Short mmCIF file of all heavy atoms in Angstrom, two decimals:
data_model
loop_
_atom_site.label_atom_id
_atom_site.label_comp_id
_atom_site.label_asym_id
_atom_site.label_seq_id
_atom_site.Cartn_x
_atom_site.Cartn_y
_atom_site.Cartn_z
N ILE A 103 2.36 -7.19 -16.35
CA ILE A 103 2.58 -6.34 -15.18
C ILE A 103 2.71 -4.90 -15.61
O ILE A 103 3.46 -4.59 -16.55
CB ILE A 103 3.80 -6.78 -14.36
CG1 ILE A 103 3.56 -8.19 -13.84
CG2 ILE A 103 4.11 -5.78 -13.24
CD1 ILE A 103 4.18 -8.59 -12.58
N ASP A 104 1.98 -3.99 -14.95
CA ASP A 104 1.96 -2.58 -15.32
C ASP A 104 2.83 -1.73 -14.41
O ASP A 104 3.22 -0.63 -14.78
CB ASP A 104 0.52 -2.08 -15.28
CG ASP A 104 -0.37 -2.87 -16.18
OD1 ASP A 104 -0.23 -2.68 -17.43
OD2 ASP A 104 -1.18 -3.68 -15.68
N LEU A 105 3.12 -2.22 -13.21
CA LEU A 105 3.95 -1.49 -12.26
C LEU A 105 4.61 -2.48 -11.34
O LEU A 105 3.98 -3.45 -10.90
CB LEU A 105 3.11 -0.51 -11.40
CG LEU A 105 3.74 0.12 -10.15
CD1 LEU A 105 4.92 1.00 -10.53
CD2 LEU A 105 2.71 0.86 -9.37
N VAL A 106 5.90 -2.26 -11.02
CA VAL A 106 6.59 -3.04 -10.02
C VAL A 106 6.91 -2.10 -8.87
O VAL A 106 7.54 -1.06 -9.07
CB VAL A 106 7.88 -3.65 -10.61
CG1 VAL A 106 8.66 -4.41 -9.52
CG2 VAL A 106 7.58 -4.58 -11.77
N VAL A 107 6.49 -2.47 -7.69
CA VAL A 107 6.89 -1.76 -6.46
C VAL A 107 7.86 -2.71 -5.76
O VAL A 107 7.47 -3.75 -5.26
CB VAL A 107 5.66 -1.44 -5.56
CG1 VAL A 107 6.11 -0.82 -4.27
CG2 VAL A 107 4.68 -0.56 -6.28
N PHE A 108 9.12 -2.32 -5.78
CA PHE A 108 10.19 -3.18 -5.27
C PHE A 108 10.98 -2.38 -4.29
O PHE A 108 11.89 -1.62 -4.65
CB PHE A 108 11.05 -3.63 -6.42
CG PHE A 108 12.07 -4.73 -6.06
CD1 PHE A 108 12.75 -5.37 -7.05
CD2 PHE A 108 12.37 -5.06 -4.73
CE1 PHE A 108 13.70 -6.36 -6.74
CE2 PHE A 108 13.31 -6.02 -4.42
CZ PHE A 108 13.98 -6.68 -5.43
N PHE A 109 10.71 -2.52 -2.98
CA PHE A 109 11.46 -1.81 -1.97
C PHE A 109 12.77 -2.55 -1.71
O PHE A 109 12.79 -3.57 -1.01
CB PHE A 109 10.62 -1.66 -0.70
CG PHE A 109 9.49 -0.69 -0.81
CD1 PHE A 109 9.22 0.00 -1.98
CD2 PHE A 109 8.66 -0.40 0.27
CE1 PHE A 109 8.19 0.91 -2.08
CE2 PHE A 109 7.63 0.48 0.22
CZ PHE A 109 7.38 1.19 -0.95
N CYS A 110 13.81 -2.06 -2.33
CA CYS A 110 15.15 -2.64 -2.22
C CYS A 110 15.87 -2.13 -0.99
O CYS A 110 15.66 -1.00 -0.57
CB CYS A 110 15.97 -2.28 -3.42
SG CYS A 110 15.26 -2.72 -5.02
N ASP A 111 16.72 -2.96 -0.43
CA ASP A 111 17.56 -2.55 0.68
C ASP A 111 18.94 -2.24 0.11
O ASP A 111 19.72 -3.15 -0.15
CB ASP A 111 17.61 -3.65 1.73
CG ASP A 111 18.39 -3.22 2.96
OD1 ASP A 111 19.05 -2.13 2.95
OD2 ASP A 111 18.38 -3.96 3.94
N PRO A 112 19.27 -0.95 -0.09
CA PRO A 112 20.57 -0.60 -0.68
C PRO A 112 21.76 -0.79 0.26
O PRO A 112 22.89 -0.72 -0.20
CB PRO A 112 20.38 0.85 -1.06
CG PRO A 112 19.42 1.37 -0.02
CD PRO A 112 18.47 0.23 0.22
N LEU A 113 21.48 -1.05 1.55
CA LEU A 113 22.57 -1.16 2.50
C LEU A 113 22.91 -2.59 2.86
O LEU A 113 23.79 -2.83 3.67
CB LEU A 113 22.20 -0.37 3.77
CG LEU A 113 21.87 1.13 3.53
CD1 LEU A 113 21.46 1.76 4.84
CD2 LEU A 113 23.08 1.83 2.93
N GLN A 114 22.20 -3.52 2.28
CA GLN A 114 22.39 -4.94 2.60
C GLN A 114 22.72 -5.71 1.33
O GLN A 114 21.99 -5.61 0.35
CB GLN A 114 21.13 -5.50 3.23
CG GLN A 114 21.19 -6.95 3.69
CD GLN A 114 21.98 -7.13 4.99
OE1 GLN A 114 21.97 -6.26 5.83
NE2 GLN A 114 22.71 -8.22 5.08
N ALA A 115 23.80 -6.47 1.33
CA ALA A 115 24.16 -7.31 0.15
C ALA A 115 23.11 -8.39 0.02
O ALA A 115 22.64 -8.96 1.02
CB ALA A 115 25.55 -7.93 0.37
N GLN A 116 22.71 -8.65 -1.21
CA GLN A 116 21.69 -9.68 -1.49
C GLN A 116 22.33 -10.82 -2.24
O GLN A 116 23.01 -10.60 -3.27
CB GLN A 116 20.54 -9.07 -2.34
CG GLN A 116 19.83 -7.89 -1.70
CD GLN A 116 19.15 -8.22 -0.40
OE1 GLN A 116 18.63 -9.32 -0.22
NE2 GLN A 116 19.17 -7.29 0.54
N PRO A 117 22.12 -12.06 -1.79
CA PRO A 117 22.74 -13.20 -2.47
C PRO A 117 22.20 -13.37 -3.89
O PRO A 117 22.88 -13.97 -4.73
CB PRO A 117 22.40 -14.38 -1.58
CG PRO A 117 21.25 -13.95 -0.79
CD PRO A 117 21.36 -12.45 -0.63
N HIS A 118 21.04 -12.87 -4.15
CA HIS A 118 20.43 -13.00 -5.47
C HIS A 118 20.48 -11.69 -6.27
O HIS A 118 19.60 -11.41 -7.09
CB HIS A 118 18.98 -13.52 -5.37
CG HIS A 118 18.05 -12.60 -4.65
ND1 HIS A 118 18.17 -12.27 -3.32
CD2 HIS A 118 16.97 -11.93 -5.10
CE1 HIS A 118 17.25 -11.44 -2.97
NE2 HIS A 118 16.50 -11.18 -4.03
N ASP A 119 21.55 -10.91 -6.00
CA ASP A 119 21.69 -9.61 -6.65
C ASP A 119 21.60 -9.69 -8.20
O ASP A 119 21.02 -8.76 -8.81
CB ASP A 119 22.99 -8.94 -6.21
CG ASP A 119 23.06 -7.49 -6.62
OD1 ASP A 119 22.12 -6.71 -6.29
OD2 ASP A 119 24.04 -7.12 -7.34
N PRO A 120 22.13 -10.69 -8.85
CA PRO A 120 21.98 -10.75 -10.30
C PRO A 120 20.50 -10.83 -10.75
O PRO A 120 20.11 -10.26 -11.75
CB PRO A 120 22.72 -12.03 -10.71
CG PRO A 120 23.76 -12.19 -9.62
CD PRO A 120 23.06 -11.73 -8.36
N ASP A 121 19.68 -11.50 -9.95
CA ASP A 121 18.22 -11.58 -10.29
C ASP A 121 17.58 -10.21 -10.11
O ASP A 121 16.72 -9.83 -10.90
CB ASP A 121 17.52 -12.60 -9.38
CG ASP A 121 18.02 -14.00 -9.53
OD1 ASP A 121 18.62 -14.30 -10.61
OD2 ASP A 121 17.88 -14.80 -8.59
N VAL A 122 17.99 -9.50 -9.09
CA VAL A 122 17.43 -8.15 -8.85
C VAL A 122 17.82 -7.23 -10.00
O VAL A 122 16.97 -6.50 -10.57
CB VAL A 122 17.97 -7.59 -7.52
CG1 VAL A 122 17.53 -6.14 -7.34
CG2 VAL A 122 17.48 -8.44 -6.34
N LYS A 123 19.05 -7.28 -10.43
CA LYS A 123 19.52 -6.45 -11.53
C LYS A 123 18.83 -6.84 -12.83
O LYS A 123 18.47 -5.97 -13.62
CB LYS A 123 21.03 -6.56 -11.71
CG LYS A 123 21.78 -5.79 -10.60
CD LYS A 123 23.26 -5.80 -10.80
CE LYS A 123 23.90 -4.97 -9.69
NZ LYS A 123 25.23 -5.35 -9.38
N ALA A 124 18.55 -8.13 -13.02
CA ALA A 124 17.82 -8.56 -14.22
C ALA A 124 16.40 -8.01 -14.21
O ALA A 124 15.90 -7.59 -15.27
CB ALA A 124 17.83 -10.10 -14.28
N LEU A 125 15.77 -7.98 -13.05
CA LEU A 125 14.40 -7.45 -12.95
C LEU A 125 14.41 -5.94 -13.27
O LEU A 125 13.59 -5.44 -14.02
CB LEU A 125 13.82 -7.71 -11.59
CG LEU A 125 12.40 -7.16 -11.35
CD1 LEU A 125 11.41 -7.70 -12.38
CD2 LEU A 125 11.93 -7.48 -9.94
N LEU A 126 15.37 -5.21 -12.71
CA LEU A 126 15.50 -3.80 -13.04
C LEU A 126 15.69 -3.57 -14.52
O LEU A 126 15.12 -2.67 -15.12
CB LEU A 126 16.62 -3.15 -12.21
CG LEU A 126 16.43 -3.16 -10.68
CD1 LEU A 126 17.71 -2.67 -10.00
CD2 LEU A 126 15.29 -2.27 -10.29
N ARG A 127 16.56 -4.38 -15.08
CA ARG A 127 16.85 -4.28 -16.52
C ARG A 127 15.58 -4.54 -17.37
O ARG A 127 15.28 -3.78 -18.27
CB ARG A 127 17.95 -5.27 -16.92
CG ARG A 127 18.34 -5.21 -18.37
CD ARG A 127 19.37 -6.32 -18.70
NE ARG A 127 19.42 -6.52 -20.12
CZ ARG A 127 18.51 -7.22 -20.86
NH1 ARG A 127 17.50 -7.82 -20.24
NH2 ARG A 127 18.67 -7.34 -22.15
N ILE A 128 14.86 -5.59 -17.04
CA ILE A 128 13.67 -5.94 -17.85
C ILE A 128 12.57 -4.90 -17.78
O ILE A 128 11.85 -4.63 -18.72
CB ILE A 128 13.19 -7.37 -17.51
CG1 ILE A 128 12.48 -8.01 -18.72
CG2 ILE A 128 12.26 -7.43 -16.32
CD1 ILE A 128 13.39 -8.48 -19.76
N THR A 129 12.47 -4.21 -16.58
CA THR A 129 11.47 -3.15 -16.51
C THR A 129 11.88 -1.99 -17.41
O THR A 129 11.00 -1.35 -18.03
CB THR A 129 11.25 -2.63 -15.08
OG1 THR A 129 12.54 -2.18 -14.53
CG2 THR A 129 10.65 -3.68 -14.17
N ASN A 130 13.16 -1.75 -17.56
CA ASN A 130 13.63 -0.70 -18.49
C ASN A 130 13.46 -1.12 -19.94
O ASN A 130 13.04 -0.30 -20.76
CB ASN A 130 15.10 -0.38 -18.22
CG ASN A 130 15.24 0.53 -17.01
OD1 ASN A 130 14.52 1.50 -16.87
ND2 ASN A 130 16.15 0.17 -16.13
N VAL A 131 13.74 -2.37 -20.26
CA VAL A 131 13.59 -2.83 -21.64
C VAL A 131 12.12 -2.70 -22.10
O VAL A 131 11.85 -2.29 -23.19
CB VAL A 131 14.05 -4.32 -21.75
CG1 VAL A 131 13.63 -4.91 -23.08
CG2 VAL A 131 15.56 -4.42 -21.56
N TYR A 132 11.20 -3.02 -21.21
CA TYR A 132 9.78 -3.03 -21.55
C TYR A 132 9.01 -1.76 -21.10
O TYR A 132 7.82 -1.70 -21.16
CB TYR A 132 9.07 -4.27 -21.03
CG TYR A 132 9.52 -5.46 -21.88
CD1 TYR A 132 10.58 -6.28 -21.44
CD2 TYR A 132 8.93 -5.77 -23.09
CE1 TYR A 132 10.99 -7.35 -22.19
CE2 TYR A 132 9.37 -6.82 -23.84
CZ TYR A 132 10.40 -7.61 -23.43
OH TYR A 132 10.84 -8.67 -24.20
N ASN A 133 9.77 -0.75 -20.65
CA ASN A 133 9.19 0.53 -20.26
C ASN A 133 8.08 0.38 -19.22
O ASN A 133 6.98 0.95 -19.34
CB ASN A 133 8.69 1.26 -21.51
CG ASN A 133 8.50 2.76 -21.26
OD1 ASN A 133 9.19 3.33 -20.47
ND2 ASN A 133 7.47 3.34 -21.92
N VAL A 134 8.34 -0.40 -18.18
CA VAL A 134 7.42 -0.58 -17.08
C VAL A 134 7.97 0.16 -15.87
O VAL A 134 9.13 0.02 -15.52
CB VAL A 134 7.22 -2.10 -16.78
CG1 VAL A 134 6.41 -2.30 -15.51
CG2 VAL A 134 6.55 -2.79 -17.94
N ALA A 135 7.11 0.96 -15.26
CA ALA A 135 7.55 1.75 -14.09
C ALA A 135 7.93 0.80 -12.96
O ALA A 135 7.31 -0.24 -12.72
CB ALA A 135 6.41 2.65 -13.64
N ILE A 136 9.00 1.18 -12.27
CA ILE A 136 9.44 0.45 -11.08
C ILE A 136 9.73 1.47 -9.97
O ILE A 136 10.47 2.43 -10.18
CB ILE A 136 10.65 -0.46 -11.35
CG1 ILE A 136 10.99 -1.24 -10.08
CG2 ILE A 136 11.82 0.30 -11.91
CD1 ILE A 136 11.89 -2.45 -10.34
N ALA A 137 9.05 1.28 -8.87
CA ALA A 137 9.24 2.18 -7.70
C ALA A 137 10.03 1.44 -6.66
O ALA A 137 9.64 0.36 -6.19
CB ALA A 137 7.86 2.59 -7.13
N THR A 138 11.18 1.99 -6.28
CA THR A 138 12.04 1.31 -5.33
C THR A 138 12.04 1.93 -3.94
O THR A 138 12.80 1.50 -3.08
CB THR A 138 13.50 1.29 -5.88
OG1 THR A 138 13.94 2.62 -6.08
CG2 THR A 138 13.58 0.48 -7.14
N ASN A 139 11.15 2.91 -3.71
CA ASN A 139 11.04 3.50 -2.38
C ASN A 139 9.64 4.09 -2.23
O ASN A 139 8.89 4.21 -3.20
CB ASN A 139 12.13 4.54 -2.14
CG ASN A 139 12.11 5.64 -3.17
OD1 ASN A 139 11.05 6.24 -3.45
ND2 ASN A 139 13.27 5.94 -3.75
N VAL A 140 9.30 4.47 -1.03
CA VAL A 140 7.94 4.95 -0.72
C VAL A 140 7.59 6.19 -1.51
O VAL A 140 6.49 6.31 -2.07
CB VAL A 140 7.77 5.21 0.79
CG1 VAL A 140 6.46 5.93 1.11
CG2 VAL A 140 7.90 3.94 1.60
N ALA A 141 8.52 7.15 -1.61
CA ALA A 141 8.21 8.40 -2.32
C ALA A 141 7.83 8.16 -3.76
O ALA A 141 6.84 8.67 -4.26
CB ALA A 141 9.43 9.34 -2.24
N THR A 142 8.60 7.29 -4.45
CA THR A 142 8.28 7.00 -5.82
C THR A 142 7.02 6.16 -5.95
O THR A 142 6.18 6.41 -6.82
CB THR A 142 9.48 6.24 -6.46
OG1 THR A 142 10.66 6.99 -6.28
CG2 THR A 142 9.25 6.05 -7.96
N ALA A 143 6.84 5.22 -5.08
CA ALA A 143 5.61 4.38 -5.11
C ALA A 143 4.38 5.26 -4.92
O ALA A 143 3.36 5.06 -5.63
CB ALA A 143 5.70 3.27 -4.06
N ASP A 144 4.44 6.21 -4.04
CA ASP A 144 3.31 7.13 -3.79
C ASP A 144 3.00 7.91 -5.08
O ASP A 144 1.84 8.04 -5.48
CB ASP A 144 3.60 8.09 -2.63
CG ASP A 144 3.46 7.45 -1.27
OD1 ASP A 144 2.85 6.34 -1.19
OD2 ASP A 144 3.94 8.04 -0.32
#
Side-chain angles (χ1 to χ4, degrees):
I103 297 209
D104 302 288
L105 167 64
V106 177
V107 176
F108 188 170
F109 288 2
C110 303
D111 185 350
L113 303 178
Q114 183 76 33
Q116 301 298 324
H118 64 295
D119 191 55
D121 297 337
V122 173
K123 287 183 177 156
L125 178 58
L126 295 172
R127 181 185 163 281
I128 207 77
T129 57
N130 282 313
V131 168
Y132 288 95
N133 198 33
V134 171
I136 183 163
T138 58
N139 58 50
V140 172
T142 307
D144 283 345

